Amino acid sequence: MAVTSEISTREAEVLTLVGEHLSNAEIGARLFISVRTVESHVSSLLRKLDMSDRRALALYAAATRTASPRPGPALPKPLTSFIGRTRERAELTELIKTQRQVTAVGPGGVGKTRLALAVVADVAADFADGVWFVDLVPITSPDMCVVAGTVAMALGIGEQPGRGFDRAVLAALADRNALLVLDNCEHVRDGVAPFVEQLLEACPGMSVLATSRARLMVPFEHVYTVPPMSLAGEGDSDAVALFMDRAAAGGWPPNHAMRDQVATFCERLDGVALAIELAAARWTTLGLDGLAAGLDDQLRMLSGGARADDRHRSVRAALDWSHALLEPEDRMLLRRVSVFMTAFPVEAAADAADLDKGAVAAGLARLVEQSLLVVTDTPTGTQFRALETIRQYGLEQLEAAGEMADARAGHLRWCLAEASDLSIVRADWRARFDSAADDFRAALGWACEQPDRRSDAYTLARLLAPLMFTRHLTGESQWRYEQAAYLSDDPAAAAESLRHAAAAAGCQGNGDDMYRLHHAAAEFAQRAGDSAAASIDLATAAASAYRFWGKFEHIPAREDLVALVAEARRLAAAPTSAAPADIASAVAAGADTVPTSAAPTDIARAGAVAVDPARAAIALAEAVLLANPFGAPHRVTDVSAPEAVSSAERAVELTHSTRDPFAESAALDALAAAQSRAGELRAAAATARRRIRLLSTTPDNPVGTHELIDALGQATEFGLGVGDLAGARRWGRQLAEHPMLAEVGHTATSRLLVADALAGNVDGVLTHSARFLEAWYREERPARSALGAAVAGVRMIHGLRDDYDAEREWTGVLQQLGTPAADADGYQAVFDALLMLHHGQPEDALERTELTPAEARTRVTGVWLPWYLALHAEAAAMTGNTAASGDLAQARTEVTGNPVAAAIIDRAEALLAQDRDRLLSTATTFEAAGCVYQSARTRILAGGADATEGAAMLTTLGVAPTTALVHL
């Protein structure tokens, strides 16, 4: 292996992160570059480092991590050279250049993979986005989604919340011009065929080269039958050249004069590459006569058998013969290690073989010498791997020897130990997990089919579920939690697993599953005799339908939720508040008001006694159902804002007393929402910050992660409402950098983009909007109204830059989001007015913010109200509107607590009063609030030398200065 050209600094950075097993989206987020740019760098690295796939690249990167960031001029060469195949290479190359889907077919061992890799090197330059190689050997399920998941991982496409791997792959490759190589398809053809068909239909620039023992039977398929090594030319044939090369590797090159005899021997092996290589490995010990005699016996035994394919018979003969020449302990070791799906360390082989580690290490070395195993040095130690043909042969021998159950049990034993050890996250965690993941899946699949292994299957599923979550395979994590629940003999443990599964579903944005799984958890809790836990599960399900209503495809009917809370109360068999009967009756009757007799302070007196968690969960559900502070599209509530706040405060008191941080976080979520609805933005922001502090030390499990991501979004939103731009940007940045959101850059960056846009942080907006847009397109342009504020903010920034093409592009995005009309009087009006004022169009800004303060209070979303009123007042002042003084007075009372909005009003008053000193004093306030854009704009409004300084500040920010501003 050799570096063909120098690796750039950026490529070296990408290589390092590939070595850490990050996906392309994660690398892009880390380096602030697009996913497409990452893909380009990975493709370039594969070419420059002469590597076949991403896994090999990751191993190389990890091995060179401590070295110079730029690899040296030479790297180790491949273990074996590619011999001959000139005609086949040219034919297959031409097919790939002219056909979109080619399947190279042939029996095991004929050399399909080696030929494919050689051809890929020849055609790589013809594909602008490169060539990607995917080995399908580790897959045990022919399901299309499993095939798509394997392709996604090999291509560095991570799992996207709420979206299957099949859709994610198709979206990522939709506009790519690349060649996808799918190796070893025969055992999963039922999954590969529909995947390839969908890929070719959805991605017109993609081509596929598959290797398989049988054709895929899909449209567009052109089959190329890979022939055996050429025997033409006798002593000078490709088959002889292969034998001579591999035999020479043993240190004793055959005499050139023997080439004709070698040709005869290779002809008896039908020119099958694997058979020739296995025989050549024995050259130094048996010589040609010994090889021929041994082969005679095997071919005689196989003659007249049921196998019609002569080439397959030749491989079988070579394998049987090589196997027979092994010592008994080595034969047993080869059989036992065939249970491993991928590479394995000595320790794993020792478990599978149930032998001493030292003896196993020596045996593995002997198998490598005989070309029956391949050895690889990795950062975590030496690993061994059997070629798929040899592994399948080993499994047959294992079955014939009656040792399958013992070997599988040993394999399972190692998987349990490895999964348990991986529960502690260390520096090499991802590499170790990725190396073992396919074996975990295979071991679990086997254990689930063995009645006497149910306990082990449960243990492995329980270990695997959080590992999958840590690896950000959230969908599979949910599945494994559910699997563990139904494997468990303990209904209480099953209920706990289902709660984690529900949270994982929430992280996936799947509210329907979240609701279903809380129901299922309640059923298991009741089986365990824990009615209180069942009560909590039902109450949590009901509350979730309001708290996370945007994640539901089918929101449960309100009457169903009311019935759910009533059932929770029955199971809890305990009062939920100071006036439980009143509230319970109101809920059960579907009332829309909270009885005023329910006093919030009578519940848990000073927190002296821990409150029953069921009471707390029910109190939260009742508060949410009655008050609906989240604006879920259920029946409109008549509960007053103060009553909603009081009800949520009750829930906070109770949950705090339970000492359960996640329950308290849920209650704080409801309280902040209720406070916002009541117009108490400062209180809502303080509650959101309290929620962040509460969750800062909680574990990174599904429940904690789901709550934290929601809390960060809430804190960012309310931070904007109170003008805490620094805090909003900090929390928005935490969301943008959260690994769980790496694959959904539009969701991850949306909050930060709003904060940066309001602050006038042009560089930040330009950087993160590129990630937003790329991810949004990759996910097929979802029409999510929650993204509207971010898009409107980015559009405004491009307007400030006079970049009209970009402004039009983002206007188009905003139109595609399906933004609710109500938002026209919220963030859209705010960003529009900011842009209009920048361009010296106060009349337009005044018209855009035409609502009176009284009207705005009912029509503008809480966090945007201070901004709306402040900009309205400033537009009125700049137009010389006679009502401006009154507007300023009314607006000032509404923006209390938002220093930026208050400074805008101060600036408007200074403009009305022609008070230059007061005007300039607001510039200091804006700078202190982290709003440099508004500080620069203030200086321009002041005129004179200050205007020159302000224009320079805008230029530094990347904003186009305007001379259209009204100034003193």
Side-chain angles (χ1 to χ4, degrees), residues 530-773:
D530 192 345
S531 296
S535 172
I536 294 171
D537 290 322
L538 294 180
T540 301
S544 295
Y546 278 77
R547 291 185 62 209
F548 306 111
W549 65 268
K551 297 183 178 184
F552 281 75
E553 286 190 23
H554 307 287
I555 302 177
R558 186 177 188 279
E559 52 269 26
D560 293 338
L561 299 177
V562 168
L564 209 59
V565 176
E567 176 63 10
R569 288 194 67 261
R570 186 190 68 78
L571 290 171
T576 62
S577 66
D582 292 340
I583 290 185
S585 299
V587 171
D592 289 326
T593 59
V594 177
T596 56
S597 59
T601 57
D602 293 336
I603 315 301
R605 302 184 182 280
V609 179
V611 172
D612 177 6
R615 291 178 61 198
I618 293 169
L620 172 61
E622 289 175 343
V624 168
L625 263 67
L626 286 173
N628 186 15
F630 301 95
H634 292 84
R635 188 171 63 180
V636 177
T637 177
D638 293 328
V639 174
S640 70
E643 287 174 323
V645 171
S646 177
S647 181
E649 286 175 338
R650 246 192 326 277
V652 171
E653 284 188 62
L654 287 166
T655 53
H656 178 71
S657 297
T658 67
R659 300 178 177 86
D660 179 349
F662 302 130
E664 186 176 354
S665 171
L668 289 170
D669 179 24
L671 177 58
Q675 289 167 332
S676 174
R677 178 187 161 199
E680 301 172 7
L681 283 182
R682 281 190 296 174
T687 299
R689 292 194 298 270
R690 175 180 167 188
R691 189 180 174 204
I692 294 290
R693 290 194 298 272
L694 176 69
L695 295 169
S696 62
T697 57
T698 53
D700 293 330
N701 59 25
V703 179
T705 299
H706 188 216
E707 282 293 324
L708 179 60
I709 288 175
D710 184 70
L712 286 169
Q714 186 184 64
T716 305
E717 181 177 357
F718 292 136
L720 294 174
V722 297
D724 181 9
L725 297 182
R729 290 177 66 193
R730 182 170 66 254
W731 297 311
R733 192 174 298 109
Q734 288 184 47
L735 275 175
E737 295 173 355
H738 199 289
M740 188 62 66
L741 301 178
E743 303 298 330
V744 282
H746 50 309
T747 301
T749 60
S750 60
R751 305 281 188 173
L752 179 58
L753 283 169
V754 179
D756 276 339
L758 282 175
N761 180 17
V762 176
D763 286 344
V765 170
L766 296 181
T767 296
H768 294 291
S769 64
R771 181 183 170 197
F772 177 105
L773 197 60

Side-chain angles (χ1 to χ4, degrees), residues 358-531:
V360 168
L364 292 174
R366 290 191 294 271
L367 293 175
V368 170
E369 291 172 359
Q370 302 307 321
S371 295
L372 292 167
L373 293 179
V374 175
V375 63
T376 305
D377 287 327
T378 74
T380 56
T382 301
Q383 293 200 322
F384 301 83
R385 178 177 60 86
L387 296 178
E388 179 60 8
T389 300
I390 295 173
R391 193 182 76 83
Q392 292 294 336
Y393 177 85
L395 286 173
E396 292 178 8
Q397 296 300 313
L398 193 62
E399 189 69 52
E403 299 172 353
M404 183 66 78
D406 288 343
R408 292 288 188 192
H411 179 241
L412 174 63
R413 185 167 56 247
W414 177 78
C415 286
L416 285 166
E418 184 72 358
S420 179
D421 191 50
L422 281 167
S423 297
I424 302 173
V425 178
R426 302 184 180 91
D428 62 347
W429 188 90
R430 274 203 175 194
R432 286 182 58 201
F433 175 81
D434 286 356
S435 176
D438 288 319
D439 280 298
F440 291 159
R441 295 179 178 109
L444 181 53
W446 176 79
C448 286
E449 295 173 354
Q450 314 302 314
D452 60 335
R453 294 286 177 181
R454 183 182 178 90
S455 176
D456 287 335
Y458 162 70
T459 301
L460 185 53
R462 180 177 55 79
L463 288 168
L464 194 52
L467 294 179
M468 288 292 177
F469 188 81
T470 301
R471 186 59 180 86
H472 306 144
L473 298 173
T474 315
E476 185 170 358
S477 173
Q478 176 190 331
W479 174 31
R480 297 302 180 187
Y481 275 118
E482 291 189 61
Q483 188 177 33
Y486 291 99
L487 285 169
S488 176
D489 293 327
D490 179 0
E496 185 62 23
S497 289
L498 289 170
R499 292 175 196 122
H500 283 293
C507 291
Q508 281 281 97
N510 190 334
D512 299 77
D513 268 7
M514 184 167 50
Y515 186 74
R516 170 183 64 82
L517 290 164
H518 279 304
H519 267 276
E523 292 177 10
F524 275 98
Q526 288 188 75
R527 291 183 202 174
D530 192 345
S531 296

Side-chain angles (χ1 to χ4, degrees), residues 8 46 133-134 232 338 403 463 519 546 571 580 678 750 835 936 941:
S8 70
L46 290 171
F133 182 88
V134 183
S338 65
E403 299 172 353
L463 288 168
H519 267 276
Y546 278 77
L571 290 171
S750 60
L835 185 57
L941 287 168

